[in-house]
mmCIF file with all atom_site columns, all heavy atoms in Angstrom:
data_model
loop_
_atom_site.group_PDB
_atom_site.id
_atom_site.type_symbol
_atom_site.label_atom_id
_atom_site.label_alt_id
_atom_site.label_comp_id
_atom_site.label_asym_id
_atom_site.label_entity_id
_atom_site.label_seq_id
_atom_site.pdbx_PDB_ins_code
_atom_site.Cartn_x
_atom_site.Cartn_y
_atom_site.Cartn_z
_atom_site.occupancy
_atom_site.B_iso_or_equiv
_atom_site.pdbx_formal_charge
_atom_site.auth_seq_id
_atom_site.auth_comp_id
_atom_site.auth_asym_id
_atom_site.auth_atom_id
_atom_site.pdbx_PDB_model_num
ATOM 1   N N   . ALA K 1 210 ? 23.976 1.972  15.957 1.00 86.00 ? 230 ALA K N   1
ATOM 2   C CA  . ALA K 1 210 ? 23.643 2.703  17.131 1.00 86.00 ? 230 ALA K CA  1
ATOM 3   C C   . ALA K 1 210 ? 24.814 3.496  17.698 1.00 86.00 ? 230 ALA K C   1
ATOM 4   O O   . ALA K 1 210 ? 24.731 4.633  18.282 1.00 86.00 ? 230 ALA K O   1
ATOM 5   C CB  . ALA K 1 210 ? 22.988 1.903  18.178 1.00 86.00 ? 230 ALA K CB  1
ATOM 6   N N   . LEU K 1 211 ? 26.056 2.972  17.467 1.00 86.00 ? 231 LEU K N   1
ATOM 7   C CA  . LEU K 1 211 ? 27.172 3.565  18.056 1.00 86.00 ? 231 LEU K CA  1
ATOM 8   C C   . LEU K 1 211 ? 27.914 4.519  17.119 1.00 86.00 ? 231 LEU K C   1
ATOM 9   O O   . LEU K 1 211 ? 28.499 5.483  17.552 1.00 86.00 ? 231 LEU K O   1
ATOM 10  C CB  . LEU K 1 211 ? 28.185 2.428  18.502 1.00 86.00 ? 231 LEU K CB  1
ATOM 11  C CG  . LEU K 1 211 ? 27.780 1.480  19.618 1.00 86.00 ? 231 LEU K CG  1
ATOM 12  C CD1 . LEU K 1 211 ? 28.733 0.358  19.685 1.00 86.00 ? 231 LEU K CD1 1
ATOM 13  C CD2 . LEU K 1 211 ? 27.570 2.302  20.876 1.00 86.00 ? 231 LEU K CD2 1
ATOM 14  N N   . TYR K 1 212 ? 27.917 4.232  15.772 1.00 84.00 ? 232 TYR K N   1
ATOM 15  C CA  . TYR K 1 212 ? 28.644 5.011  14.828 1.00 84.00 ? 232 TYR K CA  1
ATOM 16  C C   . TYR K 1 212 ? 27.797 5.506  13.670 1.00 84.00 ? 232 TYR K C   1
ATOM 17  O O   . TYR K 1 212 ? 26.835 4.783  13.257 1.00 84.00 ? 232 TYR K O   1
ATOM 18  C CB  . TYR K 1 212 ? 29.849 4.187  14.244 1.00 84.00 ? 232 TYR K CB  1
ATOM 19  C CG  . TYR K 1 212 ? 30.759 3.730  15.323 1.00 84.00 ? 232 TYR K CG  1
ATOM 20  C CD1 . TYR K 1 212 ? 30.761 2.366  15.648 1.00 84.00 ? 232 TYR K CD1 1
ATOM 21  C CD2 . TYR K 1 212 ? 31.573 4.567  16.057 1.00 84.00 ? 232 TYR K CD2 1
ATOM 22  C CE1 . TYR K 1 212 ? 31.640 1.801  16.650 1.00 84.00 ? 232 TYR K CE1 1
ATOM 23  C CE2 . TYR K 1 212 ? 32.347 4.062  17.101 1.00 84.00 ? 232 TYR K CE2 1
ATOM 24  C CZ  . TYR K 1 212 ? 32.418 2.691  17.332 1.00 84.00 ? 232 TYR K CZ  1
ATOM 25  O OH  . TYR K 1 212 ? 33.266 2.206  18.303 1.00 84.00 ? 232 TYR K OH  1
ATOM 26  N N   . PRO K 1 213 ? 28.060 6.708  13.091 1.00 82.00 ? 233 PRO K N   1
ATOM 27  C CA  . PRO K 1 213 ? 27.170 7.199  12.027 1.00 82.00 ? 233 PRO K CA  1
ATOM 28  C C   . PRO K 1 213 ? 27.568 6.459  10.738 1.00 82.00 ? 233 PRO K C   1
ATOM 29  O O   . PRO K 1 213 ? 28.620 5.917  10.556 1.00 82.00 ? 233 PRO K O   1
ATOM 30  C CB  . PRO K 1 213 ? 27.641 8.664  11.934 1.00 82.00 ? 233 PRO K CB  1
ATOM 31  C CG  . PRO K 1 213 ? 29.013 8.670  12.494 1.00 82.00 ? 233 PRO K CG  1
ATOM 32  C CD  . PRO K 1 213 ? 29.034 7.661  13.534 1.00 82.00 ? 233 PRO K CD  1
ATOM 33  N N   . ASN K 1 214 ? 26.666 6.507  9.743  1.00 76.00 ? 234 ASN K N   1
ATOM 34  C CA  . ASN K 1 214 ? 26.848 5.952  8.415  1.00 76.00 ? 234 ASN K CA  1
ATOM 35  C C   . ASN K 1 214 ? 27.352 6.956  7.401  1.00 76.00 ? 234 ASN K C   1
ATOM 36  O O   . ASN K 1 214 ? 26.808 7.208  6.412  1.00 76.00 ? 234 ASN K O   1
ATOM 37  C CB  . ASN K 1 214 ? 25.519 5.267  7.999  1.00 76.00 ? 234 ASN K CB  1
ATOM 38  C CG  . ASN K 1 214 ? 25.786 4.522  6.700  1.00 76.00 ? 234 ASN K CG  1
ATOM 39  O OD1 . ASN K 1 214 ? 26.872 4.030  6.428  1.00 76.00 ? 234 ASN K OD1 1
ATOM 40  N ND2 . ASN K 1 214 ? 24.706 4.307  5.848  1.00 76.00 ? 234 ASN K ND2 1
ATOM 41  N N   . THR K 1 215 ? 28.358 7.741  7.842  1.00 72.00 ? 235 THR K N   1
ATOM 42  C CA  . THR K 1 215 ? 28.892 8.749  7.062  1.00 72.00 ? 235 THR K CA  1
ATOM 43  C C   . THR K 1 215 ? 30.415 8.461  6.617  1.00 72.00 ? 235 THR K C   1
ATOM 44  O O   . THR K 1 215 ? 31.047 7.780  7.353  1.00 72.00 ? 235 THR K O   1
ATOM 45  C CB  . THR K 1 215 ? 28.859 10.150 7.845  1.00 72.00 ? 235 THR K CB  1
ATOM 46  O OG1 . THR K 1 215 ? 29.474 9.974  9.136  1.00 72.00 ? 235 THR K OG1 1
ATOM 47  C CG2 . THR K 1 215 ? 27.449 10.495 8.079  1.00 72.00 ? 235 THR K CG2 1
ATOM 48  N N   . PRO K 1 216 ? 30.873 9.014  5.571  1.00 64.00 ? 236 PRO K N   1
ATOM 49  C CA  . PRO K 1 216 ? 32.221 8.761  5.092  1.00 64.00 ? 236 PRO K CA  1
ATOM 50  C C   . PRO K 1 216 ? 33.177 9.234  6.182  1.00 64.00 ? 236 PRO K C   1
ATOM 51  O O   . PRO K 1 216 ? 33.000 10.280 6.818  1.00 64.00 ? 236 PRO K O   1
ATOM 52  C CB  . PRO K 1 216 ? 32.339 9.549  3.742  1.00 64.00 ? 236 PRO K CB  1
ATOM 53  C CG  . PRO K 1 216 ? 30.910 9.743  3.291  1.00 64.00 ? 236 PRO K CG  1
ATOM 54  C CD  . PRO K 1 216 ? 30.086 9.819  4.537  1.00 64.00 ? 236 PRO K CD  1
ATOM 55  N N   . VAL K 1 217 ? 34.301 8.578  6.160  1.00 59.00 ? 237 VAL K N   1
ATOM 56  C CA  . VAL K 1 217 ? 35.354 8.982  7.126  1.00 59.00 ? 237 VAL K CA  1
ATOM 57  C C   . VAL K 1 217 ? 36.132 10.230 6.598  1.00 59.00 ? 237 VAL K C   1
ATOM 58  O O   . VAL K 1 217 ? 36.518 10.180 5.377  1.00 59.00 ? 237 VAL K O   1
ATOM 59  C CB  . VAL K 1 217 ? 36.361 7.835  7.350  1.00 59.00 ? 237 VAL K CB  1
ATOM 60  C CG1 . VAL K 1 217 ? 37.486 8.278  8.274  1.00 59.00 ? 237 VAL K CG1 1
ATOM 61  C CG2 . VAL K 1 217 ? 35.720 6.602  7.840  1.00 59.00 ? 237 VAL K CG2 1
ATOM 62  N N   . LYS K 1 218 ? 36.213 11.249 7.412  1.00 61.00 ? 238 LYS K N   1
ATOM 63  C CA  . LYS K 1 218 ? 36.967 12.437 6.989  1.00 61.00 ? 238 LYS K CA  1
ATOM 64  C C   . LYS K 1 218 ? 38.480 12.193 7.045  1.00 61.00 ? 238 LYS K C   1
ATOM 65  O O   . LYS K 1 218 ? 38.960 11.812 8.129  1.00 61.00 ? 238 LYS K O   1
ATOM 66  C CB  . LYS K 1 218 ? 36.588 13.593 7.796  1.00 61.00 ? 238 LYS K CB  1
ATOM 67  C CG  . LYS K 1 218 ? 35.150 14.035 7.592  1.00 61.00 ? 238 LYS K CG  1
ATOM 68  C CD  . LYS K 1 218 ? 34.826 15.232 8.358  1.00 61.00 ? 238 LYS K CD  1
ATOM 69  C CE  . LYS K 1 218 ? 33.310 15.682 8.169  1.00 61.00 ? 238 LYS K CE  1
ATOM 70  N NZ  . LYS K 1 218 ? 32.993 16.949 9.021  1.00 61.00 ? 238 LYS K NZ  1
ATOM 71  N N   . LYS K 1 219 ? 39.171 12.418 6.029  1.00 55.00 ? 239 LYS K N   1
ATOM 72  C CA  . LYS K 1 219 ? 40.603 12.134 5.925  1.00 55.00 ? 239 LYS K CA  1
ATOM 73  C C   . LYS K 1 219 ? 41.293 13.405 6.543  1.00 55.00 ? 239 LYS K C   1
ATOM 74  O O   . LYS K 1 219 ? 41.097 14.501 5.989  1.00 55.00 ? 239 LYS K O   1
ATOM 75  C CB  . LYS K 1 219 ? 41.100 11.910 4.531  1.00 55.00 ? 239 LYS K CB  1
ATOM 76  C CG  . LYS K 1 219 ? 40.526 10.477 4.009  1.00 55.00 ? 239 LYS K CG  1
ATOM 77  C CD  . LYS K 1 219 ? 41.083 10.239 2.573  1.00 55.00 ? 239 LYS K CD  1
ATOM 78  C CE  . LYS K 1 219 ? 40.547 8.918  2.132  1.00 55.00 ? 239 LYS K CE  1
ATOM 79  N NZ  . LYS K 1 219 ? 41.074 8.670  0.747  1.00 55.00 ? 239 LYS K NZ  1
ATOM 80  N N   . GLN K 1 220 ? 42.121 13.191 7.476  1.00 55.00 ? 240 GLN K N   1
ATOM 81  C CA  . GLN K 1 220 ? 42.828 14.232 8.082  1.00 55.00 ? 240 GLN K CA  1
ATOM 82  C C   . GLN K 1 220 ? 44.163 14.546 7.239  1.00 55.00 ? 240 GLN K C   1
ATOM 83  O O   . GLN K 1 220 ? 44.824 13.597 6.888  1.00 55.00 ? 240 GLN K O   1
ATOM 84  C CB  . GLN K 1 220 ? 43.287 13.935 9.534  1.00 55.00 ? 240 GLN K CB  1
ATOM 85  C CG  . GLN K 1 220 ? 42.069 13.641 10.511 1.00 55.00 ? 240 GLN K CG  1
ATOM 86  C CD  . GLN K 1 220 ? 41.330 15.032 10.682 1.00 55.00 ? 240 GLN K CD  1
ATOM 87  O OE1 . GLN K 1 220 ? 41.910 16.063 10.566 1.00 55.00 ? 240 GLN K OE1 1
ATOM 88  N NE2 . GLN K 1 220 ? 40.101 14.867 10.990 1.00 55.00 ? 240 GLN K NE2 1
ATOM 89  N N   . PRO K 1 221 ? 44.508 15.777 6.942  1.00 53.00 ? 241 PRO K N   1
ATOM 90  C CA  . PRO K 1 221 ? 45.634 16.108 6.241  1.00 53.00 ? 241 PRO K CA  1
ATOM 91  C C   . PRO K 1 221 ? 46.949 15.727 7.047  1.00 53.00 ? 241 PRO K C   1
ATOM 92  O O   . PRO K 1 221 ? 46.822 15.795 8.238  1.00 53.00 ? 241 PRO K O   1
ATOM 93  C CB  . PRO K 1 221 ? 45.586 17.553 6.001  1.00 53.00 ? 241 PRO K CB  1
ATOM 94  C CG  . PRO K 1 221 ? 44.657 18.111 7.074  1.00 53.00 ? 241 PRO K CG  1
ATOM 95  C CD  . PRO K 1 221 ? 43.696 16.973 7.248  1.00 53.00 ? 241 PRO K CD  1
ATOM 96  N N   . PRO K 1 222 ? 48.014 15.324 6.382  1.00 52.00 ? 242 PRO K N   1
ATOM 97  C CA  . PRO K 1 222 ? 49.246 14.953 7.151  1.00 52.00 ? 242 PRO K CA  1
ATOM 98  C C   . PRO K 1 222 ? 49.711 16.194 7.910  1.00 52.00 ? 242 PRO K C   1
ATOM 99  O O   . PRO K 1 222 ? 49.564 17.354 7.570  1.00 52.00 ? 242 PRO K O   1
ATOM 100 C CB  . PRO K 1 222 ? 50.225 14.688 6.086  1.00 52.00 ? 242 PRO K CB  1
ATOM 101 C CG  . PRO K 1 222 ? 49.328 14.260 4.803  1.00 52.00 ? 242 PRO K CG  1
ATOM 102 C CD  . PRO K 1 222 ? 48.119 15.132 4.933  1.00 52.00 ? 242 PRO K CD  1
ATOM 103 N N   . SER K 1 223 ? 50.312 15.823 9.109  1.00 52.00 ? 243 SER K N   1
ATOM 104 C CA  . SER K 1 223 ? 50.698 16.893 9.989  1.00 52.00 ? 243 SER K CA  1
ATOM 105 C C   . SER K 1 223 ? 51.825 17.759 9.395  1.00 52.00 ? 243 SER K C   1
ATOM 106 O O   . SER K 1 223 ? 51.990 18.899 9.648  1.00 52.00 ? 243 SER K O   1
ATOM 107 C CB  . SER K 1 223 ? 51.266 16.290 11.355 1.00 52.00 ? 243 SER K CB  1
ATOM 108 O OG  . SER K 1 223 ? 52.347 15.367 11.001 1.00 52.00 ? 243 SER K OG  1
ATOM 109 N N   . GLY K 1 224 ? 52.599 17.115 8.472  1.00 52.00 ? 244 GLY K N   1
ATOM 110 C CA  . GLY K 1 224 ? 53.704 17.928 7.801  1.00 52.00 ? 244 GLY K CA  1
ATOM 111 C C   . GLY K 1 224 ? 53.156 19.052 7.040  1.00 52.00 ? 244 GLY K C   1
ATOM 112 O O   . GLY K 1 224 ? 53.655 20.155 6.919  1.00 52.00 ? 244 GLY K O   1
#
Side-chain angles (χ1 to χ4, degrees):
L231 295 172
Y232 303 110
N234 189 24
T235 52
V237 181
K238 294 182 179 179
K239 296 182 180 180
Q240 298 293 335
S243 56

